[in-house]
Amino acid sequence: MSGVHYWETKGLKEMSQSEWEGLCDGCGKCCLHKLQDEDTDEIYHTAVACELLDLRSGGCSDYANRFAKVTDCLQLSADNLANFQWLPPSCAYRRLSEGRGLPSWHPLLNGGKKHKMHAADMSVRHKSVSEGLDLDPADFIVTWPLEDVD
Ligand code: SF4
């Protein structure tokens, strides 16, 4: 795809709200529960997803009311991005904040479609379970959320 894209010319802090929101690939990985070792602070990713996550699409099933329904849901912004080192390496916000650009499978580079992201195995689809099943996340520690491809 040719042409200059807004995420290549603007810094994260210069983007409009719609441009910022548009960066999210909808992978759903940030909506997986994480565990932190109390002694080492190391973070472990699990395959157990927030109850609001649509496991098929990777999107939030109630985006407008997510903060009211899930008290520990966090708002990402350019101002607090430095606090979100637990974001998966494939996350568009993390990639751009680290100067790595967007990957070829990102929906913004594919007409808004997610098929290449799913084909690259970069979303939660077919790999996660819902916390609604009352599972112990400690039994579902996984490393695939840490994978990334260009
Ligand atoms: S990990 Fe990043 S790109 Fe993926 S859904 Fe979460 S905020 Fe969006």
Side-chain angles (χ1 to χ4, degrees):
M1 190 167 180
S2 61
V4 178
H5 307 107
Y6 73 84
W7 59 90
E8 295 169 332
T9 58
K10 288 186 178 184
L12 289 168
K13 291 189 177 184
E14 299 168 323
M15 293 181 187
S16 67
Q17 189 63 26
S18 63
E19 287 172 335
W20 171 268
E21 299 257 341
L23 292 176
C24 178
D25 57 31
C27 70
K29 290 184 193 173
C30 58
C31 304
L32 298 172
H33 284 282
K34 285 153 284 287
L35 302 172
Q36 187 166 30
D37 187 306
E38 288 180 357
D39 297 324
T40 65
D41 286 344
E42 189 169 353
I43 291 174
Y44 296 91
H45 292 255
T46 82
V48 180
C50 168
E51 61 183 316
L52 292 184
L53 188 66
D54 180 330
L55 300 184
R56 198 169 180 287
S57 72
C60 182
S61 62
D62 196 357
Y63 192 72
N65 299 306
R66 64 195 190 284
F67 297 122
K69 289 190 170 177
V70 179
T71 51
D72 56 354
C73 183
L74 299 171
Q75 175 112 49
L76 282 184
S77 81
D79 290 326
N80 64 19
L81 206 51
N83 300 328
F84 291 91
Q85 288 310 310
W86 49 262
L87 283 169
S90 64
C91 174
Y93 300 104
R94 182 165 166 187
R95 287 185 64 114
L96 291 181
S97 71
E98 294 175 354
R100 292 188 287 127
L102 295 187
S104 61
W105 48 263
H106 195 288
L108 279 176
L109 294 168
N110 294 284
K113 307 285 189 203
K114 289 183 166 184
H115 60 287
K116 284 198 175 176
M117 178 177 72
H118 292 312
D121 212 17
M122 286 291 110
S123 76
V124 301
R125 191 151 87 159
H126 304 317
K127 301 199 292 284
S128 51
V129 293
S130 175
E131 68 178 341
L133 298 173
D134 203 20
L135 304 167
D136 182 354
D139 293 332
F140 291 84
I141 291 173
V142 289
T143 56
W144 55 258
L146 299 172
E147 295 168 3
D148 191 14
V149 293
D150 284 335

